[in-house]
Amino acid sequence: MSLFGVLNTGRTGIFVSQHGLATTGNNIANVNTPGYSRQRLMQAARTTGGVQSLGVERLGDVFFAGRLRESNTRMGGLQTLSLNLQQLETALGDTDGSGFSKATEQFFAALQDLSVTPGGPAEREAVRSRGSQLVASLRGLGGQIREQRQQLDAQLRQQVEQINTLARNLADVNRRLDDAGPGADEARNALLDQRDQIVNQLSNFLPVRTLEDAGGKLTVFVGDEVLVEGLATRALQLTPNPANDGLHDLAVIDAAGNVRAMRKAPTEGSLGALLRARDEFAGKALADVERLAGRLIQSFNAIHRQGVGLDGGGGRDFFAGLDVTAAPDGRNRGGVGVAATAISDADLLTFDDYEIRFTSADAYEVVNTRTNAIVTSGPYVAGGTIQFDGMSVELNGPAGPQAGDVIHVDSYRGTSRRMALAPEIAASLEAIAAGGTDAAGDNTQALLLAALRDQLTMGSPPTQTFDGYFGAIRLQVALATESSLGGVEDEAVTQQQLVTLQQSVAGVSLDEEATNIIQYQRAFEASSRVIRIADELIETVLQIV
Protein backbone atom coordinates (compact mmCIF):
# COMPACT_ATOMS: atom_id res chain seq x y z
CA MET A 1 0.00 0.00 0.00
CA SER A 2 1.31 3.45 -0.89
CA LEU A 3 1.80 6.21 1.66
CA PHE A 4 -1.23 7.99 0.20
CA GLY A 5 -3.21 4.80 0.75
CA VAL A 6 -2.09 4.86 4.38
CA LEU A 7 -3.32 8.45 4.60
CA ASN A 8 -6.72 7.34 3.25
CA THR A 9 -6.86 4.48 5.74
CA GLY A 10 -6.34 6.91 8.60
CA ARG A 11 -8.90 9.28 7.15
CA THR A 12 -11.61 6.60 6.98
CA GLY A 13 -10.76 5.53 10.51
CA ILE A 14 -11.30 9.06 11.78
CA PHE A 15 -14.64 9.42 9.97
CA VAL A 16 -15.96 6.08 11.27
CA SER A 17 -14.76 6.87 14.80
CA GLN A 18 -16.52 10.23 14.66
CA HIS A 19 -19.70 8.51 13.48
CA GLY A 20 -19.40 5.95 16.26
CA LEU A 21 -18.91 8.68 18.88
CA ALA A 22 -21.97 10.51 17.53
CA THR A 23 -24.08 7.34 17.69
CA THR A 24 -22.89 6.59 21.21
CA GLY A 25 -23.63 10.17 22.28
CA ASN A 26 -27.13 9.87 20.81
CA ASN A 27 -27.70 6.69 22.84
CA ILE A 28 -26.57 8.40 26.05
CA ALA A 29 -28.72 11.46 25.35
CA ASN A 30 -31.81 9.26 24.96
CA VAL A 31 -31.18 6.93 27.89
CA ASN A 32 -34.42 8.13 29.53
CA THR A 33 -36.46 8.66 26.34
CA PRO A 34 -39.58 6.40 26.34
CA GLY A 35 -39.62 4.02 23.38
CA TYR A 36 -36.05 4.75 22.31
CA SER A 37 -34.16 1.76 20.88
CA ARG A 38 -30.41 1.58 21.25
CA GLN A 39 -28.46 2.18 18.04
CA ARG A 40 -25.18 0.67 16.93
CA LEU A 41 -22.81 1.71 14.16
CA MET A 42 -22.33 -0.95 11.52
CA GLN A 43 -18.87 -0.95 9.89
CA ALA A 44 -16.83 -3.11 7.54
CA ALA A 45 -13.37 -3.21 6.01
CA ARG A 46 -12.87 -1.51 2.63
CA THR A 47 -11.37 -3.60 -0.16
CA THR A 48 -8.93 -0.76 -0.89
CA GLY A 49 -7.94 -0.45 2.76
CA GLY A 50 -9.40 1.31 5.71
CA VAL A 51 -12.92 1.07 7.13
CA GLN A 52 -16.36 2.18 6.03
CA SER A 53 -19.65 2.89 7.82
CA LEU A 54 -22.59 0.75 6.66
CA GLY A 55 -25.17 2.72 8.59
CA VAL A 56 -26.68 2.81 12.05
CA GLU A 57 -28.42 -0.36 13.21
CA ARG A 58 -31.50 -0.10 15.44
CA LEU A 59 -31.43 -2.86 18.03
CA GLY A 60 -34.51 -4.69 19.17
CA ASP A 61 -36.25 -8.06 19.30
CA VAL A 62 -39.49 -8.56 17.37
CA PHE A 63 -40.55 -11.45 19.59
CA PHE A 64 -40.14 -9.53 22.85
CA ALA A 65 -41.84 -6.46 21.34
CA GLY A 66 -44.84 -8.57 20.33
CA ARG A 67 -45.07 -10.23 23.73
CA LEU A 68 -44.87 -6.85 25.42
CA ARG A 69 -47.73 -5.51 23.28
CA GLU A 70 -49.83 -8.52 24.25
CA SER A 71 -49.06 -7.83 27.91
CA ASN A 72 -50.00 -4.16 27.43
CA THR A 73 -53.36 -5.27 26.06
CA ARG A 74 -54.02 -7.60 28.97
CA MET A 75 -52.90 -5.02 31.54
CA GLY A 76 -54.96 -2.23 29.98
CA GLY A 77 -58.03 -4.46 30.03
CA LEU A 78 -57.54 -5.72 33.58
CA GLN A 79 -56.88 -2.26 35.03
CA THR A 80 -59.93 -0.75 33.32
CA LEU A 81 -62.15 -3.68 34.25
CA SER A 82 -61.06 -3.80 37.90
CA LEU A 83 -61.60 -0.05 38.34
CA ASN A 84 -65.13 -0.15 36.93
CA LEU A 85 -66.06 -3.36 38.74
CA GLN A 86 -65.06 -1.73 42.03
CA GLN A 87 -67.40 1.15 41.22
CA LEU A 88 -70.20 -1.30 40.37
CA GLU A 89 -69.56 -3.21 43.60
CA THR A 90 -69.89 0.06 45.51
CA ALA A 91 -73.21 0.81 43.78
CA LEU A 92 -74.55 -2.62 44.77
CA GLY A 93 -73.22 -2.40 48.34
CA ASP A 94 -75.42 -2.18 51.43
CA THR A 95 -72.72 -0.75 53.65
CA ASP A 96 -74.72 2.23 54.96
CA GLY A 97 -77.80 0.19 55.88
CA SER A 98 -80.04 2.05 53.41
CA GLY A 99 -79.88 -0.34 50.48
CA PHE A 100 -82.24 -2.92 49.07
CA SER A 101 -81.62 -5.61 51.71
CA LYS A 102 -82.43 -3.24 54.57
CA ALA A 103 -85.45 -1.80 52.76
CA THR A 104 -86.78 -5.31 52.08
CA GLU A 105 -86.31 -6.34 55.70
CA GLN A 106 -88.18 -3.30 56.97
CA PHE A 107 -90.99 -3.65 54.42
CA PHE A 108 -91.75 -7.26 55.25
CA ALA A 109 -91.40 -6.53 58.98
CA ALA A 110 -94.10 -3.87 58.55
CA LEU A 111 -96.29 -6.45 56.78
CA GLN A 112 -95.75 -8.83 59.69
CA ASP A 113 -96.93 -6.09 62.07
CA LEU A 114 -99.94 -5.52 59.81
CA SER A 115 -100.87 -9.19 60.04
CA VAL A 116 -101.09 -8.78 63.83
CA THR A 117 -103.22 -5.61 63.63
CA PRO A 118 -104.71 -5.61 60.09
CA GLY A 119 -107.03 -2.67 60.73
CA GLY A 120 -104.53 -0.43 62.51
CA PRO A 121 -103.91 2.94 60.82
CA ALA A 122 -100.34 3.11 62.14
CA GLU A 123 -99.54 -0.38 60.80
CA ARG A 124 -101.04 0.49 57.44
CA GLU A 125 -99.07 3.73 57.28
CA ALA A 126 -95.90 1.80 58.12
CA VAL A 127 -96.54 -0.63 55.25
CA ARG A 128 -97.10 2.22 52.82
CA SER A 129 -94.08 4.15 54.07
CA ARG A 130 -91.80 1.10 53.99
CA GLY A 131 -93.15 0.28 50.53
CA SER A 132 -92.15 3.75 49.37
CA GLN A 133 -88.67 3.23 50.81
CA LEU A 134 -88.38 -0.11 49.01
CA VAL A 135 -89.37 1.60 45.76
CA ALA A 136 -86.80 4.33 46.38
CA SER A 137 -84.04 1.78 47.07
CA LEU A 138 -84.70 -0.07 43.81
CA ARG A 139 -84.99 3.19 41.87
CA GLY A 140 -81.72 4.43 43.36
CA LEU A 141 -79.96 1.14 42.72
CA GLY A 142 -81.07 0.96 39.11
CA GLY A 143 -80.28 4.64 38.62
CA GLN A 144 -76.71 4.28 39.87
CA ILE A 145 -76.01 1.33 37.58
CA ARG A 146 -77.67 3.11 34.67
CA GLU A 147 -75.54 6.20 35.29
CA GLN A 148 -72.38 4.08 35.39
CA ARG A 149 -73.30 2.54 32.04
CA GLN A 150 -73.72 6.02 30.58
CA GLN A 151 -70.31 7.03 31.95
CA LEU A 152 -68.74 3.91 30.45
CA ASP A 153 -70.35 4.77 27.12
CA ALA A 154 -68.84 8.26 27.32
CA GLN A 155 -65.41 6.75 28.04
CA LEU A 156 -65.93 4.51 25.03
CA ARG A 157 -66.41 7.56 22.82
CA GLN A 158 -63.24 9.15 24.19
CA GLN A 159 -61.18 6.03 23.58
CA VAL A 160 -62.47 5.63 20.03
CA GLU A 161 -61.35 9.21 19.32
CA GLN A 162 -57.92 8.44 20.80
CA ILE A 163 -57.61 5.26 18.74
CA ASN A 164 -58.53 7.09 15.55
CA THR A 165 -55.96 9.81 16.34
CA LEU A 166 -53.25 7.19 16.90
CA ALA A 167 -54.22 5.47 13.66
CA ARG A 168 -53.85 8.75 11.73
CA ASN A 169 -50.49 9.37 13.42
CA LEU A 170 -49.30 5.91 12.42
CA ALA A 171 -50.37 6.44 8.82
CA ASP A 172 -48.40 9.71 8.86
CA VAL A 173 -45.29 7.90 10.15
CA ASN A 174 -45.78 5.33 7.37
CA ARG A 175 -45.82 8.19 4.86
CA ARG A 176 -42.62 9.70 6.29
CA LEU A 177 -40.92 6.30 6.21
CA ASP A 178 -41.98 5.99 2.60
CA ASP A 179 -40.52 9.42 1.83
CA ALA A 180 -37.28 8.57 3.66
CA GLY A 181 -36.71 5.48 1.53
CA PRO A 182 -34.60 2.46 2.49
CA GLY A 183 -31.46 2.68 4.57
CA ALA A 184 -30.22 2.70 8.12
CA ASP A 185 -29.65 6.08 9.73
CA GLU A 186 -30.57 7.96 12.84
CA ALA A 187 -33.51 9.83 11.31
CA ARG A 188 -35.13 6.65 9.97
CA ASN A 189 -34.52 4.85 13.25
CA ALA A 190 -36.25 7.69 15.09
CA LEU A 191 -39.30 7.19 12.83
CA LEU A 192 -39.27 3.45 13.56
CA ASP A 193 -39.15 4.20 17.29
CA GLN A 194 -42.07 6.57 16.89
CA ARG A 195 -43.96 3.95 14.87
CA ASP A 196 -43.49 1.27 17.52
CA GLN A 197 -44.40 3.69 20.30
CA ILE A 198 -47.73 4.41 18.59
CA VAL A 199 -48.42 0.69 18.19
CA ASN A 200 -47.63 0.17 21.88
CA GLN A 201 -50.12 2.90 22.77
CA LEU A 202 -52.72 1.28 20.54
CA SER A 203 -52.13 -2.07 22.24
CA ASN A 204 -53.27 -0.58 25.55
CA PHE A 205 -56.70 0.02 24.03
CA LEU A 206 -57.24 -3.17 22.05
CA PRO A 207 -55.37 -6.22 20.74
CA VAL A 208 -53.45 -5.43 17.56
CA ARG A 209 -51.56 -7.47 14.99
CA THR A 210 -49.00 -5.89 12.67
CA LEU A 211 -47.53 -6.71 9.30
CA GLU A 212 -44.37 -4.85 8.22
CA ASP A 213 -43.40 -4.37 4.58
CA ALA A 214 -39.86 -4.02 3.22
CA GLY A 215 -39.93 -0.25 3.71
CA GLY A 216 -40.87 -0.45 7.39
CA LYS A 217 -44.50 0.61 6.89
CA LEU A 218 -46.99 -1.22 9.09
CA THR A 219 -50.42 -2.64 8.41
CA VAL A 220 -52.33 -2.86 11.69
CA PHE A 221 -55.16 -5.32 12.24
CA VAL A 222 -57.74 -5.17 15.03
CA GLY A 223 -59.31 -8.59 15.07
CA ASP A 224 -60.55 -9.17 11.54
CA GLU A 225 -60.59 -5.46 10.75
CA VAL A 226 -57.83 -3.36 9.14
CA LEU A 227 -57.17 -0.20 11.14
CA VAL A 228 -54.14 1.13 9.24
CA GLU A 229 -52.94 0.02 5.83
CA GLY A 230 -49.94 1.92 4.54
CA LEU A 231 -50.96 5.55 4.23
CA ALA A 232 -54.71 4.86 4.71
CA THR A 233 -56.75 4.45 7.89
CA ARG A 234 -60.09 2.76 8.58
CA ALA A 235 -61.62 4.83 11.37
CA LEU A 236 -63.67 3.35 14.17
CA GLN A 237 -67.09 4.81 14.79
CA LEU A 238 -69.90 4.40 17.30
CA THR A 239 -73.51 3.75 16.34
CA PRO A 240 -76.42 3.88 18.82
CA ASN A 241 -78.18 0.58 19.57
CA PRO A 242 -81.86 1.07 20.50
CA ALA A 243 -81.98 -2.48 21.88
CA ASN A 244 -79.22 -1.61 24.39
CA ASP A 245 -80.78 1.49 25.97
CA GLY A 246 -79.43 3.65 23.14
CA LEU A 247 -75.81 2.93 24.10
CA HIS A 248 -73.27 2.60 21.33
CA ASP A 249 -71.89 -0.34 19.36
CA LEU A 250 -68.53 -0.32 17.60
CA ALA A 251 -68.54 0.16 13.85
CA VAL A 252 -65.88 0.74 11.18
CA ILE A 253 -65.73 2.97 8.15
CA ASP A 254 -64.57 0.82 5.26
CA ALA A 255 -62.46 1.84 2.27
CA ALA A 256 -65.57 2.95 0.38
CA GLY A 257 -66.63 5.24 3.23
CA ASN A 258 -69.50 3.01 4.36
CA VAL A 259 -70.23 2.53 8.06
CA ARG A 260 -70.79 -1.08 9.07
CA ALA A 261 -70.85 -2.99 12.35
CA MET A 262 -67.59 -4.50 13.51
CA ARG A 263 -67.41 -8.19 12.66
CA LYS A 264 -66.37 -8.96 16.23
CA ALA A 265 -66.13 -6.40 19.01
CA PRO A 266 -62.91 -6.60 21.07
CA THR A 267 -63.07 -8.17 24.53
CA GLU A 268 -59.50 -7.34 25.55
CA GLY A 269 -57.60 -4.13 26.11
CA SER A 270 -59.02 -1.03 27.72
CA LEU A 271 -61.65 -0.64 24.99
CA GLY A 272 -62.76 -4.25 25.28
CA ALA A 273 -62.87 -3.91 29.07
CA LEU A 274 -65.14 -0.87 28.80
CA LEU A 275 -67.54 -2.85 26.62
CA ARG A 276 -67.44 -5.79 29.06
CA ALA A 277 -67.89 -3.56 32.10
CA ARG A 278 -70.79 -1.73 30.45
CA ASP A 279 -72.68 -4.71 29.00
CA GLU A 280 -71.43 -7.95 30.51
CA PHE A 281 -71.21 -6.74 34.12
CA ALA A 282 -73.10 -3.47 34.67
CA GLY A 283 -75.59 -4.42 31.96
CA LYS A 284 -76.25 -7.82 33.50
CA ALA A 285 -76.41 -6.37 37.02
CA LEU A 286 -78.95 -3.79 35.83
CA ALA A 287 -81.00 -6.45 34.04
CA ASP A 288 -80.97 -8.59 37.20
CA VAL A 289 -82.09 -5.63 39.33
CA GLU A 290 -84.86 -4.88 36.82
CA ARG A 291 -85.97 -8.53 36.92
CA LEU A 292 -85.90 -8.42 40.71
CA ALA A 293 -88.14 -5.33 40.70
CA GLY A 294 -90.44 -6.88 38.11
CA ARG A 295 -90.83 -10.18 39.94
CA LEU A 296 -91.39 -8.37 43.24
CA ILE A 297 -94.16 -6.29 41.68
CA GLN A 298 -95.71 -9.31 39.95
CA SER A 299 -95.62 -11.62 42.99
CA PHE A 300 -96.80 -9.01 45.48
CA ASN A 301 -99.59 -7.70 43.26
CA ALA A 302 -100.86 -11.21 42.49
CA ILE A 303 -101.51 -11.78 46.21
CA HIS A 304 -102.71 -8.23 46.89
CA ARG A 305 -105.30 -8.39 44.08
CA GLN A 306 -106.95 -11.35 45.80
CA GLY A 307 -107.60 -9.30 48.92
CA VAL A 308 -110.03 -6.62 49.92
CA GLY A 309 -109.31 -3.24 51.48
CA LEU A 310 -111.13 -1.69 54.43
CA ASP A 311 -113.12 0.33 51.87
CA GLY A 312 -114.50 -2.89 50.39
CA GLY A 313 -112.56 -2.60 47.14
CA GLY A 314 -110.59 -5.50 45.71
CA GLY A 315 -108.57 -6.54 42.66
CA ARG A 316 -106.13 -3.67 43.13
CA ASP A 317 -102.36 -3.64 42.66
CA PHE A 318 -100.06 -2.46 45.44
CA PHE A 319 -97.13 -1.56 43.14
CA ALA A 320 -97.10 -0.05 39.64
CA GLY A 321 -94.31 -0.09 37.04
CA LEU A 322 -94.62 -3.18 34.85
CA ASP A 323 -94.45 -2.55 31.11
CA VAL A 324 -93.21 -4.07 27.86
CA THR A 325 -90.25 -2.68 25.90
CA ALA A 326 -89.52 -3.53 22.29
CA ALA A 327 -86.86 -2.18 19.92
CA PRO A 328 -85.58 -3.12 16.46
CA ASP A 329 -82.06 -4.49 16.23
CA GLY A 330 -79.59 -1.89 14.99
CA ARG A 331 -78.45 -4.23 12.19
CA ASN A 332 -81.91 -4.65 10.64
CA ARG A 333 -82.10 -4.00 6.92
CA GLY A 334 -85.86 -3.61 6.66
CA GLY A 335 -88.11 -0.80 7.85
CA VAL A 336 -90.30 -2.55 10.42
CA GLY A 337 -90.76 -0.69 13.72
CA VAL A 338 -92.70 -0.87 16.96
CA ALA A 339 -96.01 1.01 17.14
CA ALA A 340 -97.18 0.02 20.62
CA THR A 341 -96.62 -2.46 23.44
CA ALA A 342 -98.81 -3.58 26.32
CA ILE A 343 -99.16 -6.16 29.07
CA SER A 344 -102.01 -8.53 28.35
CA ASP A 345 -101.64 -10.65 31.51
CA ALA A 346 -99.16 -9.63 34.22
CA ASP A 347 -99.29 -13.07 35.85
CA LEU A 348 -97.87 -14.69 32.69
CA LEU A 349 -94.79 -12.48 32.46
CA THR A 350 -91.54 -14.45 32.61
CA PHE A 351 -89.09 -11.48 32.56
CA ASP A 352 -87.02 -13.34 29.97
CA ASP A 353 -85.63 -11.85 26.77
CA TYR A 354 -87.46 -12.52 23.52
CA GLU A 355 -86.75 -11.95 19.85
CA ILE A 356 -89.30 -11.57 17.09
CA ARG A 357 -87.31 -13.06 14.23
CA PHE A 358 -88.47 -12.55 10.68
CA THR A 359 -87.85 -15.71 8.68
CA SER A 360 -89.05 -13.88 5.54
CA ALA A 361 -90.65 -10.59 4.64
CA ASP A 362 -94.08 -11.94 5.61
CA ALA A 363 -93.43 -14.46 8.38
CA TYR A 364 -92.05 -14.36 11.92
CA GLU A 365 -91.33 -16.52 14.93
CA VAL A 366 -90.99 -15.43 18.56
CA VAL A 367 -88.07 -17.04 20.40
CA ASN A 368 -87.34 -17.04 24.12
CA THR A 369 -83.57 -16.47 24.03
CA ARG A 370 -83.01 -18.04 27.45
CA THR A 371 -84.59 -21.37 26.49
CA ASN A 372 -84.18 -20.93 22.72
CA ALA A 373 -87.77 -22.16 22.41
CA ILE A 374 -90.19 -20.86 19.77
CA VAL A 375 -93.19 -19.59 21.75
CA THR A 376 -95.31 -18.56 18.75
CA SER A 377 -95.09 -17.90 15.02
CA GLY A 378 -97.26 -16.65 12.21
CA PRO A 379 -97.61 -14.39 9.16
CA TYR A 380 -96.55 -10.76 9.48
CA VAL A 381 -99.31 -8.21 8.96
CA ALA A 382 -98.45 -4.51 9.11
CA GLY A 383 -100.27 -2.96 12.07
CA GLY A 384 -101.04 -6.40 13.48
CA THR A 385 -100.50 -7.39 17.11
CA ILE A 386 -98.35 -10.30 18.25
CA GLN A 387 -99.26 -11.75 21.67
CA PHE A 388 -97.15 -14.12 23.76
CA ASP A 389 -96.36 -14.82 27.44
CA GLY A 390 -98.50 -11.98 28.78
CA MET A 391 -97.22 -9.38 26.32
CA SER A 392 -98.55 -7.82 23.12
CA VAL A 393 -96.50 -6.00 20.50
CA GLU A 394 -97.91 -4.01 17.59
CA LEU A 395 -95.55 -3.61 14.62
CA ASN A 396 -95.58 -1.15 11.73
CA GLY A 397 -93.14 0.93 9.73
CA PRO A 398 -92.59 2.75 6.45
CA ALA A 399 -91.37 -0.50 4.91
CA GLY A 400 -91.81 -4.14 5.75
CA PRO A 401 -89.23 -6.38 7.37
CA GLN A 402 -86.57 -8.37 5.59
CA ALA A 403 -85.53 -11.92 6.34
CA GLY A 404 -83.13 -11.89 9.28
CA ASP A 405 -84.54 -8.73 10.91
CA VAL A 406 -85.07 -8.91 14.67
CA ILE A 407 -87.21 -7.08 17.23
CA HIS A 408 -85.99 -7.39 20.84
CA VAL A 409 -88.77 -7.66 23.43
CA ASP A 410 -88.81 -7.94 27.22
CA SER A 411 -90.96 -7.04 30.22
CA TYR A 412 -88.29 -6.02 32.73
CA ARG A 413 -86.21 -3.24 31.15
CA GLY A 414 -86.74 0.06 32.99
CA THR A 415 -88.90 -1.46 35.75
CA SER A 416 -86.83 -0.03 38.61
CA ARG A 417 -87.16 3.43 37.04
CA ARG A 418 -90.96 3.14 36.62
CA MET A 419 -91.67 1.38 39.92
CA ALA A 420 -94.00 3.26 42.27
CA LEU A 421 -96.87 2.70 44.67
CA ALA A 422 -100.13 2.15 42.82
CA PRO A 423 -102.21 5.36 42.76
CA GLU A 424 -104.98 3.83 44.94
CA ILE A 425 -102.46 2.82 47.62
CA ALA A 426 -100.77 6.23 47.54
CA ALA A 427 -104.16 7.90 47.91
CA SER A 428 -105.71 5.85 50.71
CA LEU A 429 -104.54 3.58 53.51
CA GLU A 430 -107.89 1.77 53.34
CA ALA A 431 -106.97 0.50 49.86
CA ILE A 432 -104.31 -1.82 51.36
CA ALA A 433 -105.79 -5.32 51.17
CA ALA A 434 -104.79 -6.97 54.44
CA GLY A 435 -107.59 -9.57 54.37
CA GLY A 436 -109.90 -11.54 52.14
CA THR A 437 -112.80 -9.39 53.35
CA ASP A 438 -113.22 -5.80 54.49
CA ALA A 439 -113.43 -6.88 58.10
CA ALA A 440 -110.96 -4.95 60.27
CA GLY A 441 -109.63 -8.12 61.89
CA ASP A 442 -109.10 -10.12 58.67
CA ASN A 443 -105.36 -10.70 58.20
CA THR A 444 -105.48 -13.42 55.54
CA GLN A 445 -103.69 -11.52 52.78
CA ALA A 446 -101.28 -9.77 55.17
CA LEU A 447 -99.99 -13.18 56.28
CA LEU A 448 -99.55 -14.28 52.67
CA LEU A 449 -97.78 -11.05 51.75
CA ALA A 450 -95.44 -11.25 54.75
CA ALA A 451 -94.61 -14.88 53.90
CA LEU A 452 -93.59 -13.83 50.40
CA ARG A 453 -90.20 -12.72 51.76
CA ASP A 454 -89.09 -16.31 52.37
CA GLN A 455 -90.65 -17.87 49.28
CA LEU A 456 -88.58 -18.99 46.28
CA THR A 457 -89.72 -16.49 43.67
CA MET A 458 -86.60 -15.68 41.64
CA GLY A 459 -85.18 -17.69 38.75
CA SER A 460 -86.57 -20.04 36.14
CA PRO A 461 -87.55 -22.29 37.80
CA PRO A 462 -87.70 -20.30 41.05
CA THR A 463 -84.77 -21.22 43.32
CA GLN A 464 -84.06 -18.04 45.32
CA THR A 465 -85.76 -15.52 47.55
CA PHE A 466 -85.64 -11.82 46.80
CA ASP A 467 -82.76 -11.32 49.25
CA GLY A 468 -80.95 -14.43 48.00
CA TYR A 469 -81.21 -13.26 44.41
CA PHE A 470 -79.85 -9.81 45.26
CA GLY A 471 -77.03 -11.39 47.25
CA ALA A 472 -76.12 -13.50 44.22
CA ILE A 473 -75.94 -10.34 42.06
CA ARG A 474 -73.53 -8.76 44.53
CA LEU A 475 -71.48 -11.95 44.86
CA GLN A 476 -71.00 -12.26 41.09
CA VAL A 477 -69.65 -8.72 40.89
CA ALA A 478 -67.46 -9.17 43.98
CA LEU A 479 -65.89 -12.35 42.59
CA ALA A 480 -65.25 -10.70 39.22
CA THR A 481 -63.65 -7.71 40.99
CA GLU A 482 -61.40 -9.95 43.05
CA SER A 483 -60.38 -11.91 39.95
CA SER A 484 -59.54 -8.78 37.96
CA LEU A 485 -57.49 -7.27 40.80
CA GLY A 486 -55.54 -10.51 41.10
CA GLY A 487 -55.03 -10.46 37.35
CA VAL A 488 -53.56 -6.95 37.53
CA GLU A 489 -51.00 -8.09 40.11
CA ASP A 490 -50.04 -11.19 38.11
CA GLU A 491 -49.79 -9.30 34.83
CA ALA A 492 -47.63 -6.60 36.43
CA VAL A 493 -45.05 -9.28 37.25
CA THR A 494 -45.19 -10.69 33.71
CA GLN A 495 -44.97 -7.24 32.18
CA GLN A 496 -41.93 -6.30 34.25
CA GLN A 497 -40.15 -9.48 33.16
CA LEU A 498 -40.91 -8.73 29.52
CA VAL A 499 -39.71 -5.13 29.88
CA THR A 500 -36.46 -6.39 31.39
CA LEU A 501 -35.93 -8.84 28.54
CA GLN A 502 -36.80 -6.25 25.91
CA GLN A 503 -34.53 -3.63 27.50
CA SER A 504 -31.66 -6.13 27.62
CA VAL A 505 -31.67 -5.94 23.83
CA ALA A 506 -33.01 -2.50 22.98
CA GLY A 507 -32.30 -0.51 26.13
CA VAL A 508 -29.35 1.81 26.62
CA SER A 509 -26.66 0.72 29.11
CA LEU A 510 -24.57 3.66 30.29
CA ASP A 511 -21.72 1.34 31.26
CA GLU A 512 -21.63 -0.18 27.80
CA GLU A 513 -21.84 3.23 26.13
CA ALA A 514 -18.97 4.51 28.29
CA THR A 515 -16.89 1.59 27.06
CA ASN A 516 -17.84 2.41 23.47
CA ILE A 517 -16.75 6.03 23.95
CA ILE A 518 -13.30 4.89 25.08
CA GLN A 519 -13.12 2.44 22.19
CA TYR A 520 -14.02 5.05 19.54
CA GLN A 521 -11.79 7.65 21.21
CA ARG A 522 -8.79 5.32 21.09
CA ALA A 523 -9.59 4.42 17.48
CA PHE A 524 -9.81 8.12 16.61
CA GLU A 525 -6.44 8.80 18.29
CA ALA A 526 -4.83 5.82 16.55
CA SER A 527 -6.16 6.92 13.15
CA SER A 528 -4.83 10.42 13.81
CA ARG A 529 -1.38 8.99 14.57
CA VAL A 530 -1.49 6.96 11.34
CA ILE A 531 -2.18 10.14 9.39
CA ARG A 532 0.55 12.05 11.22
CA ILE A 533 3.15 9.33 10.66
CA ALA A 534 2.15 8.93 7.01
CA ASP A 535 2.43 12.70 6.57
CA GLU A 536 5.90 12.70 8.13
CA LEU A 537 7.04 9.88 5.84
CA ILE A 538 5.72 11.65 2.77
CA GLU A 539 7.53 14.83 3.80
CA THR A 540 10.75 12.84 4.32
CA VAL A 541 10.45 11.28 0.88
CA LEU A 542 9.85 14.64 -0.70
CA GLN A 543 12.94 16.04 1.01
CA ILE A 544 15.03 13.10 -0.26
CA VAL A 545 13.81 13.65 -3.76
Side-chain angles (χ1 to χ4, degrees), residues 3-42:
L3 289 177
F4 289 102
V6 174
L7 277 175
N8 189 61
T9 298
R11 179 183 62 83
T12 59
I14 285 178
F15 289 159
V16 168
S17 297
Q18 286 177 328
H19 199 173
L21 284 168
T23 302
T24 302
N26 191 47
N27 286 338
I28 294 172
N30 288 281
V31 65
N32 295 316
T33 301
Y36 178 79
S37 297
R38 183 163 60 99
Q39 299 179 13
R40 181 174 62 192
L41 180 66
M42 297 182 293

Side-chain angles (χ1 to χ4, degrees), residues 64-82 159 163 166 196-210 220-223 227 265-276 484 487-488 490-492 494-496 498-499:
F64 288 150
R67 289 286 306 278
L68 190 55
R69 282 200 296 268
E70 293 171 0
S71 180
N72 287 342
T73 302
R74 291 191 297 269
M75 180 60 87
L78 287 167
Q79 288 178 330
T80 300
L81 187 61
S82 62
Q159 290 204 1
I163 290 169
L166 288 171
D196 288 354
Q197 188 77 345
I198 294 172
V199 174
N200 286 338
Q201 292 175 24
L202 277 172
S203 70
N204 286 319
F205 293 111
L206 68 182
V208 296
R209 293 181 295 111
T210 60
V220 178
F221 299 90
V222 177
L227 183 64
T267 57
E268 295 182 283
S270 183
L271 189 72
L274 286 177
L275 289 170
R276 291 186 64 202
S484 63
V488 169
D490 293 342
E491 193 59 43
T494 300
Q495 192 171 62
Q496 184 57 51
L498 289 170
V499 168

Side-chain angles (χ1 to χ4, degrees), residues 233-235 237 252-260:
T233 62
R234 308 281 187 268
Q237 188 163 313
V252 293
I253 303 176
D254 61 22
N258 301 316
V259 179
R260 59 170 176 79

Side-chain angles (χ1 to χ4, degrees), residues 45 51 71 84 87 115 196 202 210 246-247 303 343 431 468 474 501:
V51 65
S71 180
N84 287 286
Q87 294 175 357
S115 70
D196 288 354
L202 277 172
T210 60
L247 302 178
I303 297 174
I343 294 175
R474 295 175 61 193
L501 290 170

Side-chain angles (χ1 to χ4, degrees), residues 356 358 364 366 376 380 384-388 391-395:
I356 302 175
F358 291 93
Y364 70 87
V366 179
T376 189
Y380 167 70
T385 300
I386 303 173
Q387 293 193 353
F388 54 94
M391 300 180 289
S392 66
V393 180
E394 180 185 342
L395 302 178

